[in-house]
Every structure is written in structure tokens, then in C-alpha cells.
Amino acid sequence: MFVQIPDLLSADELRQAQQRLEQADWVDGGLTAGGQAQQVKNNQQLDGRGTQAPVGKALQSMVLAAAQRHPLFFSAALPKRVLPPMFNRYAGSTNAYGDHVDQAIRYPTDGERMRTDLSATLFLADPADYDGGELVIEDSPGPRRIKLPAGHLLLYPGDRVHRVEPVTRGARLASFFWVESLVRGHDQRRLLFELDRNLMRLRERHGDSPETIGLTGTYHNLLRLWAET
Ligand code: NI
């Protein structure tokens, strides 16, 4: 399931994030990739260490808070755990990330493990300011090529081969992170998302009724059946 979440960041937050990232120090993105991914990764990442640590922390908090307050993010991801967001930059000679699959398990801190059920990319640069840089994700019947307005988030299944096309003008800035979901199976999560969205629409149109209350019960009972807390 691919879900676009428009305006995850407010216009003010987006401006702040862009300003901070323009002044930030960047390091080789290959440092945080493993195995096959490392060989095809040619971008830069925000340096989260030393004097740069407060900048990274402030930006992480901003993105996490924005995701947590957005009802569509909760409904689509059913997050159990969200890995602290990271930030990357594609420009100049470090401008692409070839085909790869993200690691299934990440280590938020020493001794902790989480499964990457969903990948998230928050686009932070105005698409008019750069050429290329599409996120291309394997799908049936063919790959999806995605480039969203600044401040918009894409949630996609963590198990797909994907790449970022070379940026040929300007700079592509983004935040990326992974979500371990309460509901591991993509099919079950999608059914819950569709049920939840349609229930919201029903309620908007007709208010509550015995039927919406009954279906809300079905939603929660399916979640009870499938969720691992
Ligand atoms: Ni990736």
C-alpha cells in the first residue's frame, strides 16, 4: 500500500527545516547503509554527531511530532515504533541511490531491534528547485516514480526494491524513516486502513448510527485479532 500524506509539515515547520538543512554539515550517506545498499548509495546525510547533534535532534522531534499528530499517518501505519528520522541530500556528485532493499531489522540504539514494515520519505525540497531525484519503487504492473511537493510524506511497503534517480540540477532534501507496525501483514493493515477511512466518511455524511458503531466495533475487533503490542 502506497499512501501519500499531504502537508505533514506546516508551511512554518517546512521553512524552519529547510533553513536548518541549508546550514547543516553533511557526511557520506554510505556510513549508515549495509551490504548491497552501501555499494549503490551515493548521497549525503545530516551529520548527527558533535556540534551538529542539536540540529539533528530538533529536526527529528519536529518530524516525529508531525507524524504523530496526523490522523492519516496513524490510520495507515498503525505505528508500534518509529525509528528516529534521518535526513539526506542529493546534489552535485553525490546525487543518486541505486536499486536496493532496505534492511529488515534496524537498531535504534544498542541492544534494541525493530522490524521495518513501512518506509517513509518526507520530501523537503520544492520540486521546482531540482531535476531528477524521483523515488522509483518496484510495483506491479510496473515501477512507480514518485516526486512529491515539499512537506508531503510517502508511506510505502518496506520490502520493495527501490532507488533514487540522479539529481541533475539543484538539491533534493528529504527525511526518511521506518515504522514497525502493530499489524505486521500488509494485507491486514490495508484492510484496516480502508475500513477506517470509509467509516470516517460515513460518519461525516450521516453522523453516528447503530451501523457505524457496529462497524467501529468490527474495526477494533480486527485490530485486536491482528495487532502485536
Ligand atoms: Ni532505501
Side-chain angles (χ1 to χ4, degrees):
M1 184 171 69
F2 292 73
V3 180
Q4 284 187 32
I5 301 183
D7 300 316
L8 187 86
L9 296 185
S10 68
D12 192 43
E13 288 171 328
L14 179 62
R15 237 184 339 266
Q16 275 184 48
Q18 287 170 339
Q19 279 169 4
R20 285 189 154 134
L21 290 175
E22 268 159 31
Q23 293 158 9
D25 285 345
W26 298 90
V27 291
D28 177 8
L31 295 172
T32 55
Q36 183 267 336
Q38 197 167 27
Q39 293 166 31
V40 292
K41 190 172 183 183
N42 179 32
N43 67 0
Q44 293 181 303
Q45 270 173 221
L46 186 64
D47 187 1
R49 302 161 301 180
T51 54
Q52 290 292 302
V55 177
K57 284 265 180 294
L59 286 169
Q60 279 180 346
S61 304
M62 179 196 284
V63 174
L64 276 179
Q68 274 157 12
R69 73 176 177 234
H70 207 294
L72 197 55
F73 180 81
F74 185 86
S75 178
L78 294 170
K80 178 176 177 181
R81 200 154 177 187
V82 180
L83 198 86
M86 294 188 268
F87 297 84
N88 58 20
R89 181 173 187 268
Y90 293 79
S93 60
T94 47
N95 61 14
Y97 194 165
D99 276 334
H100 67 283
V101 179
D102 295 339
Q103 295 167 58
I105 307 291
R106 311 272 324 184
Y107 302 88
T109 58
D110 281 346
E112 286 185 295
R113 283 191 296 262
M114 62 172 275
R115 196 180 56 234
T116 56
D117 295 319
L118 289 155
S119 297
T121 295
L122 173 62
F123 290 76
L124 291 172
D126 184 337
D129 292 343
Y130 65 101
D131 291 333
E134 293 84 358
L135 176 58
V136 182
I137 306 167
E138 183 184 71
D139 196 23
S140 175
R144 297 190 187 220
R145 299 175 65 83
I146 297 164
K147 188 169 179 176
L148 299 183
H152 291 213
L153 181 88
L154 178 75
L155 269 176
Y156 62 100
D159 57 3
R160 302 297 176 91
V161 172
H162 59 282
R163 65 177 181 272
V164 174
E165 297 280 51
V167 169
T168 55
R169 176 185 65 88
R172 175 198 196 267
L173 296 171
S175 174
F176 61 103
F177 55 93
W178 290 273
V179 180
E180 182 178 306
S181 179
L182 290 164
V183 175
R184 179 177 185 167
H186 292 302
D187 291 339
Q188 286 93 331
R189 200 182 318 108
R190 183 174 53 79
L191 284 172
L192 287 167
F193 181 52
E194 287 169 0
L195 181 53
D196 191 34
R197 269 200 314 184
N198 283 304
L199 260 171
M200 277 192 269
R201 288 179 193 139
L202 261 183
R203 236 184 250 115
E204 271 166 28
R205 202 182 300 176
H206 305 292
D208 255 322
S209 63
E211 291 78 12
T212 59
I213 294 167
L215 286 171
T216 302
T218 304
Y219 174 86
H220 283 284
N221 288 330
L222 286 172
L223 186 56
R224 215 184 314 274
L225 197 62
W226 292 329
E228 305 154 39
T229 57

Short mmCIF file of all heavy atoms in Angstrom, two decimals, residues 10 27 38 44 68 75 79 95 110 116 118 123 133 149 161 168 187 196 215:
data_model
loop_
_atom_site.label_atom_id
_atom_site.label_comp_id
_atom_site.label_asym_id
_atom_site.label_seq_id
_atom_site.Cartn_x
_atom_site.Cartn_y
_atom_site.Cartn_z
N SER A 10 3.67 21.81 8.57
CA SER A 10 3.04 23.10 8.26
C SER A 10 4.04 23.93 7.44
O SER A 10 5.24 23.61 7.42
CB SER A 10 2.70 23.83 9.56
OG SER A 10 3.89 24.22 10.21
N VAL A 27 27.50 14.43 5.75
CA VAL A 27 28.55 13.40 5.66
C VAL A 27 28.13 12.36 4.62
O VAL A 27 26.97 12.34 4.18
CB VAL A 27 28.79 12.70 7.02
CG1 VAL A 27 29.43 13.66 8.01
CG2 VAL A 27 27.50 12.11 7.59
N GLN A 38 25.06 -0.35 0.43
CA GLN A 38 26.22 0.54 0.56
C GLN A 38 26.92 0.74 -0.79
O GLN A 38 27.41 1.83 -1.08
CB GLN A 38 27.19 -0.05 1.57
CG GLN A 38 28.19 0.95 2.07
CD GLN A 38 28.93 0.43 3.30
OE1 GLN A 38 29.05 -0.77 3.47
NE2 GLN A 38 29.38 1.33 4.14
N GLN A 44 24.33 12.18 0.53
CA GLN A 44 24.86 12.72 1.79
C GLN A 44 23.79 12.64 2.86
O GLN A 44 22.59 12.71 2.55
CB GLN A 44 25.26 14.18 1.60
CG GLN A 44 26.44 14.38 0.67
CD GLN A 44 26.76 15.85 0.56
OE1 GLN A 44 25.92 16.67 0.19
NE2 GLN A 44 27.98 16.21 0.91
N GLN A 68 3.05 12.04 14.40
CA GLN A 68 2.19 11.54 15.48
C GLN A 68 0.86 12.29 15.56
O GLN A 68 -0.14 11.71 15.97
CB GLN A 68 2.92 11.61 16.82
CG GLN A 68 3.76 10.35 17.01
CD GLN A 68 4.91 10.53 17.99
OE1 GLN A 68 4.97 11.54 18.70
NE2 GLN A 68 5.82 9.57 18.03
N SER A 75 -3.63 6.05 11.00
CA SER A 75 -4.55 5.10 10.39
C SER A 75 -3.85 4.19 9.38
O SER A 75 -4.12 2.99 9.31
CB SER A 75 -5.67 5.90 9.71
OG SER A 75 -6.56 5.04 9.07
N PRO A 79 1.36 2.66 13.87
CA PRO A 79 2.74 2.55 14.33
C PRO A 79 2.88 1.95 15.73
O PRO A 79 2.14 2.31 16.64
CB PRO A 79 3.23 4.01 14.33
CG PRO A 79 1.99 4.82 14.45
CD PRO A 79 0.90 4.05 13.77
N ASN A 95 24.65 12.18 -5.85
CA ASN A 95 23.32 12.57 -6.34
C ASN A 95 22.36 11.42 -6.60
O ASN A 95 21.31 11.64 -7.21
CB ASN A 95 23.48 13.38 -7.63
CG ASN A 95 24.18 12.56 -8.71
OD1 ASN A 95 24.30 11.33 -8.59
ND2 ASN A 95 24.63 13.22 -9.75
N ASP A 110 21.80 0.75 20.90
CA ASP A 110 22.47 -0.51 21.20
C ASP A 110 21.52 -1.44 21.96
O ASP A 110 20.90 -1.03 22.93
CB ASP A 110 23.71 -0.25 22.08
CG ASP A 110 24.85 0.25 21.21
OD1 ASP A 110 24.75 0.14 19.97
OD2 ASP A 110 25.84 0.77 21.78
N THR A 116 11.35 -3.27 10.05
CA THR A 116 10.97 -2.14 9.18
C THR A 116 9.82 -2.56 8.26
O THR A 116 10.03 -2.95 7.13
CB THR A 116 12.18 -1.67 8.36
OG1 THR A 116 12.69 -2.79 7.62
CG2 THR A 116 13.28 -1.12 9.23
N LEU A 118 7.30 -0.56 7.26
CA LEU A 118 6.98 0.53 6.33
C LEU A 118 8.17 1.47 6.22
O LEU A 118 8.85 1.74 7.21
CB LEU A 118 5.80 1.33 6.86
CG LEU A 118 4.45 0.62 6.80
CD1 LEU A 118 3.51 1.19 7.84
CD2 LEU A 118 3.85 0.81 5.41
N PHE A 123 9.39 14.52 1.64
CA PHE A 123 10.07 15.39 0.66
C PHE A 123 10.18 16.79 1.26
O PHE A 123 9.20 17.34 1.77
CB PHE A 123 9.28 15.41 -0.65
CG PHE A 123 9.36 14.10 -1.41
CD1 PHE A 123 8.61 13.00 -1.00
CD2 PHE A 123 10.18 13.96 -2.51
CE1 PHE A 123 8.69 11.78 -1.67
CE2 PHE A 123 10.26 12.75 -3.20
CZ PHE A 123 9.52 11.66 -2.78
N GLY A 133 15.87 12.93 -9.19
CA GLY A 133 15.60 12.68 -7.78
C GLY A 133 14.28 11.97 -7.51
O GLY A 133 13.83 11.92 -6.36
N PRO A 149 5.43 17.24 -3.56
CA PRO A 149 5.70 18.62 -3.11
C PRO A 149 6.38 18.60 -1.74
O PRO A 149 6.23 17.65 -0.97
CB PRO A 149 4.30 19.23 -2.99
CG PRO A 149 3.42 18.38 -3.84
CD PRO A 149 4.00 16.99 -3.80
N VAL A 161 12.13 -3.32 -3.75
CA VAL A 161 13.33 -2.78 -4.38
C VAL A 161 13.00 -1.34 -4.78
O VAL A 161 11.93 -1.07 -5.34
CB VAL A 161 13.71 -3.60 -5.63
CG1 VAL A 161 14.84 -2.92 -6.40
CG2 VAL A 161 14.12 -5.02 -5.25
N THR A 168 20.03 16.04 -11.33
CA THR A 168 20.87 16.67 -12.35
C THR A 168 20.92 18.19 -12.23
O THR A 168 21.68 18.85 -12.93
CB THR A 168 20.37 16.28 -13.76
OG1 THR A 168 18.98 16.63 -13.85
CG2 THR A 168 20.53 14.79 -14.00
N ASP A 187 -1.51 -6.87 3.95
CA ASP A 187 -2.91 -7.04 3.54
C ASP A 187 -3.86 -6.68 4.68
O ASP A 187 -4.85 -5.97 4.48
CB ASP A 187 -3.17 -8.48 3.09
CG ASP A 187 -2.47 -8.79 1.78
OD1 ASP A 187 -2.14 -7.83 1.04
OD2 ASP A 187 -2.23 -9.98 1.50
N ASP A 196 -11.28 1.97 8.16
CA ASP A 196 -11.21 3.18 8.96
C ASP A 196 -11.58 4.42 8.14
O ASP A 196 -12.38 5.26 8.56
CB ASP A 196 -9.80 3.32 9.55
CG ASP A 196 -9.72 4.40 10.62
OD1 ASP A 196 -10.70 4.58 11.34
OD2 ASP A 196 -8.66 5.04 10.74
N LEU A 215 -19.75 -1.17 13.01
CA LEU A 215 -18.56 -1.32 12.17
C LEU A 215 -17.29 -0.85 12.90
O LEU A 215 -16.21 -1.40 12.68
CB LEU A 215 -18.73 -0.55 10.86
CG LEU A 215 -19.69 -1.21 9.85
CD1 LEU A 215 -19.97 -0.27 8.68
CD2 LEU A 215 -19.11 -2.53 9.34
#
